[in-house]
Amino acid sequence: MGTKRLQFSPGEVVFREGDPPTSAYLVEAGKVEILTQQDGIPLVLSILGPGDLLGEMAVIDDAPRTATARALTEVRLIEVDRAQINERIEASDPIVRALLKGQLNRYRTALNALRSGETPVIVSSSGEHSLDADGYDDKAVAKIHLETQLRDALTSRTLEVRFQPIYEIREQRISGYEALVRWTHPVRGAISPTEFIALAEETSLILPVGEYVLDRVAETLAKLSELGVDPLPFMAVNMSGRQLAEADMLSAVQSASARHGIDPRDIKIEVTESLMLDFERVGELISRCDALGIKVALDDFGTGYSNLGHLHKLQFSTVKIDQGFVRQMLEAPRCHAIVSAIVQMVHALDSDIVAEGVETDAQLQALGALNCRYAQGYLIGRPQTFDEMRSNHGLG
Ligand code: C2E
Ligand code: CA
Ligand code: CA
């Protein structure tokens, strides 16, 4: 489709207040004035020139034109198709959409007040949000709210970290823990990390959350060491894709360790297997970690974007079999066969294996029989507080 250009002579109207929103325009040449009426007297709101966008407001919120546009000189406009604008808005971040609509609402409210000669009320007087049929503004606003509260939880240090024991089957002892972050929301109560980590991932908030968790983990190792726990258990920390992509996680591990005077080799990094797994970046992380003796585990293996290429190209020191397999391994012989094959394959690659989601004694026995080294799950222990963890080491 070619570009549609329109010409107007001085005094000609481009659109009138109350007209339906057909398209927006880009001023290519000339000047256009935007007018409304105050108590019947024309009032110029602005004068637009080359490069300015015109009439986009009514197109964005699909409402009648709120003002009249009139050519002041010879004017040449490029028509911007409605579908073109809407497509971009639809493709944008929901929060950006909400911000845009919020601004539009305020502008319209102020404009109405101006017309009637009242003092503009900047916030909608009803106090209610004007929502689209699909209600996405509402969700976006709720998200902004939640995100702000998460930020507050971070600054007030009310995010908590729990430690879930990882059991070494043959040695019959707890050799490590996985750090799992917890958020108790002031109104909603406990919110699953699956929800708020995903939220934090949408913004850079995941980075301070990750650093906070690392700091708590290093602090906990230091406290256990002070209490005389020897050997110290390892602590596994989850890292999501964005953390790997944007932060120098290894430096964060090193600085948290230095701050608390612990050996960074007591910290393990868990990377979730996902589509986003960037071979080059993870490969680089693994070799840098290797040089420092820090272990990297592949989390949730066998689900989602499971890819043997991950195992072939990346030398993870540990592979964690996803809970889904362990849950079904005793009822479904095919599932048992898969777990057995994964355990053998991972051993053949010289890596360690952790079976996740172990809930029954029978599952633990079956995993032991397959020579699986570590087990993690509610049978061994739920995610625990520091005090609960102490008692595992005879310090109760
Ligand atoms: P994940 O890394 O796969 O963590 C294991 C999840 O399974 C945890 O849920 C744990 O409480 C749960 N679980 C452990 N044993 C059992 C069991 O026997 N049965 C059942 N049904 N569940 C079990 P949680 O704590 O809700 O964490 C969910 C996910 O949130 C984690 O999955 C991880 O991907 C993410 N996450 C948690 N903490 C952090 C963090 O500090 N940073 C990042 N980036 N992600 C985190
Ligand atoms: Ca994990
Ligand atoms: Ca997992």
Side-chain angles (χ1 to χ4, degrees):
M1 229 170 62
T3 310
K4 193 169 163 194
R5 284 194 164 75
L6 304 162
Q7 295 275 354
F8 293 89
S9 301
E12 267 191 296
V13 167
V14 181
F15 54 73
R16 219 176 275 282
E17 196 170 321
D19 280 356
T22 44
S23 357
Y25 307 92
L26 183 67
V27 182
E28 201 174 30
K31 288 205 174 319
V32 178
E33 61 177 354
I34 307 295
L35 302 151
T36 187
Q37 303 233 329
Q38 190 177 38
D39 301 326
I41 302 160
L43 178 73
V44 177
L45 293 171
S46 57
I47 296 178
L48 305 177
D52 285 331
L53 208 54
L54 176 71
E56 78 287 5
M57 253 180 58
V59 170
I60 293 170
D61 60 2
D62 197 22
R65 304 284 189 196
T66 45
T68 297
R70 193 166 65 191
L72 278 174
T73 60
E74 283 298 330
V75 167
R76 197 167 64 243
L77 302 177
I78 297 177
E79 187 168 8
V80 186
D81 185 51
R82 249 180 105 155
Q84 219 178 323
I85 295 180
N86 285 333
E87 212 173 279
R88 287 184 187 243
I89 293 176
E90 286 310 315
S92 73
D93 185 285
I95 292 183
V96 174
R97 288 202 297 253
L99 293 174
L100 178 68
K101 299 228 163 173
Q103 290 304 312
L104 271 184
N105 282 339
R106 285 190 197 181
Y107 181 75
R108 288 194 184 284
T109 312
L111 199 61
N112 283 334
L114 190 70
R115 270 196 209 103
S116 58
E118 290 166 12
T119 314
V121 181
I122 299 302
V123 177
S124 149
S125 55
S126 68
E128 281 174 20
H129 305 290
S130 74
L131 296 177
D132 284 1
D134 63 1
Y136 65 58
D137 281 334
D138 218 5
K139 277 190 235 139
V141 170
K143 236 182 188 183
I144 294 180
H145 194 190
L146 200 61
E147 200 188 305
T148 311
Q149 290 169 320
L150 179 56
R151 216 175 275 278
D152 287 346
L154 197 58
T155 41
S156 62
R157 301 171 74 85
T158 45
L159 280 186
E160 280 180 81
V161 177
R162 292 282 152 88
F163 305 91
Q164 187 174 32
I166 298 176
Y167 184 73
E168 196 164 352
I169 303 176
R170 192 182 296 161
E171 309 294 325
Q172 301 188 4
R173 63 172 186 141
I174 288 165
S175 334
Y177 292 87
E178 176 175 2
L180 294 159
V181 67
R182 293 287 175 265
W183 181 23
T184 307
H185 183 271
V187 180
R188 287 178 53 189
I191 298 186
S192 160
T194 326
E195 180 183 346
F196 74 84
I197 291 289
L199 177 77
E201 275 247 296
E202 288 176 21
T203 64
S204 52
L205 202 53
I206 188 68
L207 307 179
V209 169
E211 281 171 21
Y212 178 85
V213 173
L214 269 175
D215 197 67
R216 297 278 70 72
V217 162
E219 178 188 66
T220 303
L221 280 166
K223 281 204 257 174
L224 288 175
S225 170
E226 247 168 56
L227 288 169
V229 175
D230 185 27
L232 273 181
F234 65 81
M235 290 275 173
V237 178
N238 290 286
M239 300 270 161
S240 51
R242 186 150 179 176
Q243 286 174 278
L244 286 178
E246 286 181 28
D248 185 354
M249 289 321 302
L250 196 50
S251 308
V253 170
Q254 286 178 299
S255 55
S257 305
R259 221 166 21 247
H260 295 281
I262 58 132
D263 186 342
R265 287 173 298 187
D266 290 328
I267 297 180
K268 265 195 191 185
I269 295 177
E270 289 192 7
V271 180
T272 304
E273 196 180 41
S274 76
L275 189 64
M276 307 293 280
L277 210 62
D278 174 338
F279 282 99
E280 215 171 301
R281 199 176 283 278
V282 179
E284 195 195 302
L285 174 84
I286 292 177
S287 48
R288 286 176 62 206
C289 283
D290 250 2
L292 296 165
I294 296 173
K295 292 183 170 167
V296 183
L298 177 60
D299 203 356
D300 301 339
F301 182 71
T303 55
Y305 304 103
S306 217
N307 184 340
L308 288 181
H310 293 159
L311 286 187
H312 153 61
K313 294 197 189 123
L314 301 169
Q315 281 199 305
F316 289 101
S317 73
T318 307
V319 173
K320 300 187 81 174
I321 314 184
D322 190 73
Q323 320 193 349
F325 292 104
V326 176
R327 198 168 299 138
Q328 292 180 56
M329 69 183 281
L330 294 182
E331 292 86 64
R334 293 175 71 88
C335 198
H336 186 278
I338 290 175
V339 175
S340 163
I342 295 177
V343 172
Q344 286 181 45
M345 178 177 69
V346 172
H347 282 163
L349 294 170
D350 241 0
S351 300
D352 268 332
I353 187 136
V354 179
E356 292 191 88
V358 180
E359 293 184 355
T360 68
D361 210 37
Q363 287 165 344
L364 185 66
Q365 298 303 326
L367 288 162
L370 292 177
N371 250 332
C372 173
R373 184 165 179 193
Y374 297 105
Q376 180 182 355
Y378 293 167
L379 174 75
I380 289 108
R382 298 209 171 225
Q384 303 169 341
T385 61
F386 180 76
D387 288 336
E388 289 165 335
M389 181 170 61
R390 280 163 53 133
S391 66
N392 297 335
H393 300 277
L395 300 164

